Amino acid sequence: MKTITWRDRARYQFDKSMAAGPIALIGWLAVISLVVILVAGLFLALTGIKPDGGEPVSFIEGAWESLMRTMDAGTMGGDVGWSFRGVSLAVTVAGIFVFSALIGVLSSGLDEKLDELRKGRSHVLEKDHTIIFNWSPSIFDVISELVIANQSRRNPRIVIMASKDKVEMEDEIADKIADLGNTRIICRSGDPTDLYDVNIVNPQASRSIIVLSPESDYADSQVIKTVLALVNDPDRRKEPYRIAAEIRDAKNAEVARIVGGSELQLVLADELISRIVVSSSRQAGLSAVYTELLDFDGSEIYAVEQPALTGKSFGNAVMAYDTSTLIGICDTDGVVHLNPPTNRIMLAGERAILIAEDDATIKLRTAEFEVDREIVRPRVNREPGPESTLLLGWNRRGPIITQELSRYVAPGSELMIAADTPEFEADVAKLQFIKENLSVRCTVIDTSNRAALDALDVPAYDHVLVLGYSDHMAAQPADTATLVTLLQLRKIADAANQHIGIVSEMIDVRNRNLAAVTRADDFVVSNKLVSLMLAQASENELMAQIFDELLDEDGSEIYMRPVTDYIAIDRPVNFYTVNLAALIRGEVALGYSHAKRAGHDPRNMGGVVVNPAKSEKVTFDPSDRLIILSRT
C-alpha cells in the first residue's frame, strides 16, 4: 500500500478547494496577490532598494507601491533605477497574471450563473402566489382566467413549474397571451413529482396550487405523485393548501382523494366534458351557461356568509336579491346543497351560494318589488318520448358520453355511433353500464365523407353529436377533421331543407370562430372548460363540489325550458315574477336565452343571459327559454 505523504494531502486539499467553484478560485488569487505584495514590500524594506534620487521605503510603503503595480501595469512607467525597476517588473508581471485569471474566473462564473438562471433552477421567494404544475394546452386558458381574477389584487404572481425549458415556456406564454395585466409570470424548470423540485416554487407561502394533467401516458400517476409530494412534505406548512388537480380517468379519483384529503379539489376532466356534451346535445346553448358560470368575465359563483338571511326560508332568501341569484347553501359541515326545499330555513354560520358579477355586488335588495301573479302558469307535465341520436367520431370520452346519454333518454331510444377508427367497436362492446332504455349500434365509416354520411340518413335523427379524434391526432388536425364533418352536415341539412340539431366538441378554443360558419347549434370546447374549472377551483374551495352536484343525476341540474311553460308573455315582466313561477315548482331561475338575439350577442354567448337584474322588465318571445336549476 502506498504511503500517503504530506505532499499528497496538500495536493488533495488543493484539488478540493479548486473544485469548489469560482469563489474558491477568487480566494486563491487573493492569497497569491497578498503573498506577492507582502514579499515585495518586505524585500524592498530589507534591501533598501529605492528609486534613483529617492529615499529607502519602509515595509508598509513598499507593500503599497507593490499593490499599485499589481493593480495597474502602467504604474511602473515612471520608475527609475534598474534595481527598483526589476522589483517593480516582477510584481507587475505577477499582477497581470492574477488579474487576467480573475477576469477569466469572473466571466466564467457569470456565464454559469446566467446558464443556471436560464435553466430556471433558482428558488422562488414570492408569497401569496398561485402555482401551476405541469405543462399542457390548457395552461394558456388557465393563465388567462387567473389574470382576470387577479385584476383586483395587488402584485399578483403566477409561478409555473414543468419539465420544460424555462425560456421556451416564457416564449410560448408571451406568444399566446397578449395581455397579462398586472400579473407577473415566473417560470421554473423541474420535475413536479420530485420533492426537492417542488420546493423550488415555495409552496409553503402559496395562495393556491393548480396541478394540470401533463401530456404523457401516465398523466394521472404524475398528478397524484405531485399532490403526494405537496401534502406529505415533512417540512410543509401547518395551514392547509388549496389544491385543484386535473384527473382524466375517474378510476384514479379515489386514490387522488385519499392522497390529497380535504386540501384537494378534483376536476375529473373527461367526466366534466362528457356530461356537458350530453346535456348540450339535448339542450342547445347549455354549454354557454356553464362557460358563463366558470369564467371570470361576467357572473361567477361565490360562497359567502349572509347573516341577514339567518332564520329565512330558502324561497324567501331567493327573492331577497336583485343583482345576485341565490342557488344553494353550504352548511356548517362544508356540504353543498343546491336548490334545497323552498321551506328549508337558513341557519347561523351557513354560507349562501350565489351567482354574482363580483363579490362586491352581493347585496340584499333595499327596494320593494312587484310580482305579476296573473301571468304565472301552472306546471306543465310532458312525458318524454324515445329519442334517436347519432354520434360521429370517437375518443376516450366516447364510453362516458354513451353511458351519460343512457341516463337521460326515455325507453326505446337509439344511439348510432359512426367513426373512422375501427378499434372503437371493441370499446362499444365493453360498455357495461348502459341502461336498457338505450340501444346502441355502431359502424366504421369516414365521417368526413358525404356519401358515407348520406347512407346514415342524418336528418332522421333527433340529435347529432360530433366528437374530435383527439386520441389519434393533435389538437389542430383533430379540429380540422371535425370542421370538415360539420360542413358536410350543413350541406346535408340544406339539401333536406331541415334543421338538424348538432352539438360538436372542439379541442382548441381558437377554432370556435372558424366553426361558426357550419351553423352547429352548440360547441363544447373541451380544453377551455377544463381550464376554467381548474382556475375557478383554485379560487373557490367549493367549486368542485358545486359542479359535482350540478352534473350528478341525483343532484340538481341546469335545464333550458320554454318560457311559456312558466309565464304568459303577452307583456313585459320582471325576473321576480319568473323566480316566483320557478319557486312554485321547487326550482330556481338562473336566467334566460333569447334565441332571436343570439347573432347579436357581443360576448358570443348565443343569447344566453345569466343572473339578470330581477327588477328590470323583459319582453320574451315564444322561442325564448328559461335557464332553470331543478332536480327533475
Side-chain angles (χ1 to χ4, degrees), residues 222-241:
Q222 290 179 257
V223 170
I224 292 171
K225 282 189 69 177
T226 300
V227 175
L228 186 64
L230 285 165
V231 300
N232 290 307
D233 181 358
D235 300 321
R236 61 156 295 168
R237 72 188 189 191
K238 293 181 181 180
E239 298 80 14
Y241 289 119

Side-chain angles (χ1 to χ4, degrees), residues 86-400:
V87 175
S88 297
L89 178 62
V91 172
T92 300
V93 170
I96 291 172
F97 166 77
V98 169
F99 276 89
S100 297
L102 179 61
I103 291 171
V105 169
L106 291 175
S107 177
S108 176
L110 184 60
D111 287 341
E112 289 180 10
K113 188 62 178 177
L114 290 174
D115 190 50
E116 180 184 343
L117 292 173
R118 182 185 179 280
K119 291 178 180 178
R121 299 292 296 167
S122 59
H123 282 262
V124 173
L125 300 180
E126 300 291 343
K127 293 183 179 179
D128 199 35
H129 55 292
T130 298
I131 299 172
I132 302 176
F133 287 111
N134 296 318
W135 189 268
S136 80
S138 302
I139 195 168
F140 305 109
D141 290 322
V142 171
I143 294 173
S144 297
E145 289 302 311
L146 291 176
V147 166
I148 297 173
N150 288 338
Q151 288 176 350
S152 59
R153 295 182 59 216
R154 184 178 180 183
N155 297 324
R157 299 289 185 266
I158 298 174
V159 180
I160 302 168
M161 167 166 279
S163 302
K164 190 178 177 73
D165 183 76
K166 171 181 179 290
V167 176
E168 287 183 21
M169 289 190 281
E170 291 172 342
D171 288 346
E172 286 194 44
I173 292 170
D175 182 53
K176 295 186 178 180
I177 304 177
D179 184 11
L180 292 173
N182 63 335
T183 300
R184 181 186 171 194
I185 307 293
I186 301 168
C187 296
R188 292 291 181 267
S189 296
D191 182 0
T193 65
D194 182 86
L195 187 57
Y196 175 81
D197 286 2
V198 165
N199 282 315
I200 287 176
V201 295
N202 195 18
Q204 317 292 345
S206 66
R207 180 172 183 267
S208 59
I209 299 171
I210 297 174
V211 187
L212 298 177
S213 179
E215 295 180 291
S216 71
D217 295 333
Y218 304 99
D220 285 354
S221 298
Q222 290 179 257
V223 170
I224 292 171
K225 282 189 69 177
T226 300
V227 175
L228 186 64
L230 285 165
V231 300
N232 290 307
D233 181 358
D235 300 321
R236 61 156 295 168
R237 72 188 189 191
K238 293 181 181 180
E239 298 80 14
Y241 289 119
R242 182 186 292 175
I243 306 172
E246 176 187 359
I247 291 289
R248 292 182 185 176
D249 193 337
K251 296 176 184 176
N252 299 317
E254 189 59 32
V255 176
R257 289 191 176 100
I258 292 172
V259 169
S262 60
E263 297 175 276
L264 176 66
Q265 286 195 86
L266 275 186
V267 177
L268 302 179
D270 287 348
E271 288 204 356
L272 173 73
I273 297 165
S274 300
R275 289 176 177 177
I276 292 178
V277 165
V278 171
S279 298
S280 300
S281 71
R282 306 179 72 252
Q283 304 177 83
L286 197 57
S287 70
V289 178
Y290 286 114
T291 301
E292 174 72 357
L293 295 178
L294 283 172
D295 68 15
F296 288 99
D297 185 15
S299 294
E300 308 157 39
I301 297 177
Y302 296 90
V304 293
E305 284 195 39
Q306 297 283 274
L309 297 182
T310 301
K312 289 181 177 289
S313 68
F314 178 76
N316 285 333
V318 168
M319 305 294 278
Y321 295 92
D322 183 35
T323 58
S324 304
T325 303
L326 180 66
I327 62 172
I329 300 168
C330 177
D331 64 25
T332 52
D333 294 326
V335 179
V336 167
H337 306 274
L338 295 185
N339 186 31
T342 54
N343 60 356
R344 200 269 200 194
I345 302 299
M346 297 190 67
L347 306 177
E350 293 185 328
R351 286 181 285 175
I353 301 174
L354 300 119
I355 301 173
E357 285 197 9
D358 189 79
D359 53 358
T361 66
I362 299 176
K363 298 177 182 178
L364 296 176
R365 60 174 174 79
T366 55
E368 293 297 321
F369 64 93
E370 296 181 356
V371 173
D372 191 351
R373 294 180 178 272
E374 293 181 1
I375 65 171
V376 175
R377 289 184 169 179
R379 178 188 292 271
V380 177
N381 293 317
R382 290 191 174 91
E383 289 297 326
E387 303 173 27
S388 59
T389 304
L390 174 62
L391 176 59
L392 299 174
W394 193 256
N395 55 39
R396 66 176 184 271
R397 290 182 282 275
I400 306 174

